[in-house]
Amino acid sequence: MAGARRIRVQVAYDGTAYHGWQTQPGLPTVQQTIEEVLSGIEGKPVQLAGSGRTDAGVHAIGQVAAFTLENPIPCMNLRKAINRLLPEDIRIMTVEEVEADFHPRFDAVAKTYEYKIWRSEICPPMQRRWVHHHPYPLDEGALIAAASVLEGEHDFTAFAAADDRDEKGGSKVRTIFSSEAWREGELLVYRVRGSGFLKHMVRNIVGALLQVGCGNASREELRHRLTPGCGIRPGPRAPARGLCLISVEYPVSLTPSGSSE
Amino acid sequence: MAGARRIRVQVAYDGTAYHGWQTQPGLPTVQQTIEEVLSGIEGKPVQLAGSGRTDAGVHAIGQVAAFTLENPIPCMNLRKAINRLLPEDIRIMTVEEVEADFHPRFDAVAKTYEYKIWRSEICPPMQRRWVHHHPYPLDEGALIAAASVLEGEHDFTAFAAADDRDEKGGSKVRTIFSSEAWREGELLVYRVRGSGFLKHMVRNIVGALLQVGCGNASREELRHRLTPGCGIRPGPRAPARGLCLISVEYPVSLTPSGSSE
């Protein structure tokens, strides 16, 4: 593959119309939609690797993905070409050349997600696609106070999907660097930054925080769920539409300075 | 019609999926969608009068409409009932009882529209439904300076659709109270408040302002278009998706204080 380049892209998408990130036969997904465009540009199949999956209906402003290309098109023109061919609910925000062995999943050191809850009785049409509408009574102070319980290195088995695959050597231990909730106008916003996340983990955390807000669980019960072997199964998962992947971080050594834009 | 009440509602909608406000056989429209819900609640056909039409794809956060209802349901419950039955891209924001002869179109004294132009190269998926994406070179200073030319009482024939119906006694004279454009991050925003607007008038004004920004017309040529009998036909109309009806104003005497919410 003479002249093949490894290309890293930052991807934003409105997940409403997609069955999540990962390619599934017969269903529209973000990965597959981008792969088809890239394959058209390259003239042969191109495989796209993402930093991780997002569920059906989940959005992203900072998903990171990578692919290998022989076509010598400059990064700036490549971005234009891809965006011209993509549907407008998916946009490539940046394109940059990286080391040949860059892998968006294995090289990631942190990810940040945000979950938005619309609190007032009526959810405006212009907000509806990006928020979970929850106009019911909620002890927001209790929910906000409980959020920090998740911080630190914990076994998140009680927040993983039943069918979660053990991608990191079977361990369900992850480190949460920050876990915060706050009010912003009519929105209750939850933001979490961690070393990695299990399948459905953020939505299960938000579901558990909503249980605290509803008075169905305490801060201490939430803490107990982080005890290895506690045997507690995740409660109701918060809806996908409120969730957005904000950013994926890589070691500074993997951040190129040259051909980016 | 014993006990019939006149009800005024403020309506917000994402116009993307609708062929405009006004009922048209065989096409989804905002008016018809709300009328079907109201008729279901009333148990017989209910007619909805709007403050005016909006074109296919145009949005609203402050459209005003009215209808007459015999059902004695309190306003607060009525709002809940309507919103429960409407699709989530249409919301009834307020419900209030008004005088029996209130008419949202004939009683309106002012309307405000906003038009949003996204200026940077990539239009984020979360903005795409509400903006016109125009990343091309534009003399924004010239466009902003030209906006105020529209202010005052003028003959807007040169900004009306060819098939505009003469709803106010044949006259195409309207008064624009304010006409302003400004930059707001990546957005170029145009806001206009006037006594009333002809069919396509705001989109034709924005189209003309874009011509000024592109250097294809001057502030003086824009002014000349307001001369009665100038014979100039509207230039390219700005796309519907950037336009939003912000508010409709009524005389203070028609603003109820009692049963509103």
Side-chain angles (χ1 to χ4, degrees):
Chain A
M1 275 207 313
R5 298 173 296 160
R6 187 74 173 158
I7 307 274
R8 170 159 100 188
V9 293
Q10 187 196 320
V11 189
Y13 46 89
D14 170 355
T16 309
Y18 297 95
H19 288 261
W21 170 264
Q22 181 167 287
T23 301
Q24 293 177 60
L27 293 171
T29 66
V30 180
Q31 181 189 10
Q32 184 187 2
T33 304
I34 302 173
E35 277 180 347
E36 279 169 15
V37 166
L38 294 174
S39 302
I41 290 170
E42 181 77 334
K44 63 181 187 189
V46 173
Q47 288 213 322
L48 185 70
S51 77
R53 303 165 195 172
T54 53
D55 294 341
V58 171
H59 319 290
I61 61 174
Q63 171 69 291
V64 173
F67 53 93
T68 301
L69 206 71
E70 291 185 47
N71 187 321
I73 181 172
C75 285
M76 204 149 165
N77 299 354
L78 179 59
R79 187 175 78 168
K80 270 192 200 180
I82 302 172
N83 282 328
R84 200 174 300 131
L85 295 166
L86 281 173
E88 61 181 15
D89 53 5
I90 305 177
R91 290 290 98 174
I92 302 297
M93 305 306 286
T94 62
V95 174
E96 51 199 359
E97 231 174 287
V98 288
E99 293 298 310
D101 61 352
F102 172 75
H103 194 288
R105 177 146 66 94
F106 304 128
D107 292 336
V109 292
K111 278 188 186 184
T112 300
Y113 282 95
E114 214 169 78
Y115 196 95
K116 290 182 175 172
I117 300 167
W118 189 266
R119 294 290 297 134
S120 58
E121 191 196 322
I122 300 171
C123 183
M126 299 198 183
Q127 298 287 341
R128 74 187 196 282
R129 295 166 84 94
W130 329 111
V131 302
H132 166 43
H133 188 207
H134 187 90
Y136 313 108
L138 209 56
D139 182 344
E140 295 187 11
L143 187 157
I144 288 167
S148 63
V149 165
L150 286 309
E151 291 177 359
E153 188 181 84
H154 301 289
D155 181 323
F156 284 95
T157 303
F159 294 91
D163 63 342
D164 182 71
R165 298 200 205 126
D166 298 329
E167 289 174 347
K168 296 207 173 180
S171 165
K172 292 205 179 355
V173 173
R174 297 290 184 277
T175 302
I176 299 299
F177 306 122
S178 67
S179 168
E180 285 179 286
W182 65 89
R183 253 288 191 162
E184 206 174 287
E186 304 293 348
L187 286 172
L188 183 60
V189 182
Y190 172 68
R191 182 182 269 249
V192 62
R193 179 170 170 268
S195 63
F197 294 88
L198 303 165
K199 185 175 176 185
H200 294 162
M201 180 168 147
V202 183
R203 289 165 62 195
N204 281 331
I205 288 175
V206 174
L209 289 173
L210 283 169
Q211 284 190 308
V212 172
C214 293
N216 294 331
S218 67
R219 194 170 189 275
E220 286 58 45
E221 284 166 308
L222 195 62
R223 194 192 304 279
H224 178 61
R225 287 201 187 189
L226 298 169
T227 314
C230 71
I232 302 171
R233 292 304 315 145
R237 189 158 77 226
R241 60 164 60 186
L243 187 60
C244 185
L245 172 56
I246 301 296
S247 62
V248 188
E249 294 166 62
Y250 295 92
V252 177
S253 63
L254 290 178
T255 304
S257 56
S259 51
S260 74
E261 59 192 60
Chain B
M1 279 210 307
R5 300 173 296 158
R6 187 74 173 158
I7 307 277
R8 170 159 97 186
V9 292
Q10 187 196 321
V11 189
Y13 46 89
D14 170 355
T16 309
Y18 297 95
H19 288 260
W21 169 265
Q22 181 167 285
T23 300
Q24 295 176 59
L27 294 172
T29 66
V30 179
Q31 181 189 11
Q32 183 187 0
T33 304
I34 302 173
E35 277 180 347
E36 280 169 15
V37 166
L38 293 174
S39 301
I41 291 170
E42 181 77 335
K44 63 181 187 185
V46 173
Q47 289 213 321
L48 185 71
S51 77
R53 303 165 197 173
T54 53
D55 294 340
V58 170
H59 318 289
I61 62 175
Q63 171 70 289
V64 172
F67 53 93
T68 301
L69 205 71
E70 290 184 50
N71 187 321
I73 181 172
C75 285
M76 205 149 162
N77 300 354
L78 179 60
R79 187 175 75 165
K80 270 190 202 184
I82 302 173
N83 282 330
R84 201 173 299 132
L85 296 166
L86 280 174
E88 61 180 15
D89 53 4
I90 304 176
R91 290 290 97 174
I92 302 296
M93 305 304 288
T94 63
V95 174
E96 51 197 1
E97 229 174 291
V98 287
E99 293 297 310
D101 60 353
F102 172 75
H103 194 286
R105 178 146 64 95
F106 304 128
D107 291 337
V109 292
K111 278 189 185 181
T112 300
Y113 282 95
E114 214 168 79
Y115 196 95
K116 290 182 176 170
I117 300 168
W118 189 267
R119 294 290 294 135
S120 58
E121 192 196 319
I122 300 171
C123 183
M126 300 199 181
Q127 298 287 340
R128 72 186 196 284
R129 295 165 85 95
W130 329 110
V131 301
H132 166 41
H133 187 206
H134 188 90
Y136 313 109
L138 210 56
D139 182 343
E140 295 186 13
L143 188 158
I144 288 167
S148 63
V149 165
L150 286 310
E151 291 178 358
E153 188 180 87
H154 302 289
D155 181 322
F156 284 95
T157 302
F159 294 91
D163 63 342
D164 183 70
R165 297 201 205 122
D166 299 329
E167 290 174 346
K168 295 207 176 179
S171 166
K172 292 204 178 357
V173 173
R174 296 290 185 277
T175 302
I176 299 300
F177 305 123
S178 66
S179 168
E180 283 180 288
W182 66 89
R183 252 288 189 160
E184 208 174 283
E186 303 293 347
L187 287 172
L188 182 61
V189 183
Y190 173 68
R191 183 181 267 251
V192 62
R193 178 171 171 268
S195 63
F197 293 88
L198 304 164
K199 184 176 176 184
H200 294 162
M201 179 167 147
V202 183
R203 289 167 63 195
N204 281 331
I205 287 174
V206 174
L209 289 173
L210 282 170
Q211 284 191 308
V212 172
C214 293
N216 294 330
S218 68
R219 195 170 190 273
E220 286 60 45
E221 284 167 308
L222 194 62
R223 192 192 306 277
H224 177 61
R225 288 200 187 190
L226 298 168
T227 314
C230 71
I232 303 171
R233 293 304 314 145
R237 189 157 78 225
R241 60 164 61 185
L243 187 61
C244 184
L245 172 56
I246 302 296
S247 63
V248 187
E249 295 165 61
Y250 296 92
V252 178
S253 62
L254 290 177
T255 304
S257 56
S259 51
S260 75
E261 60 192 61

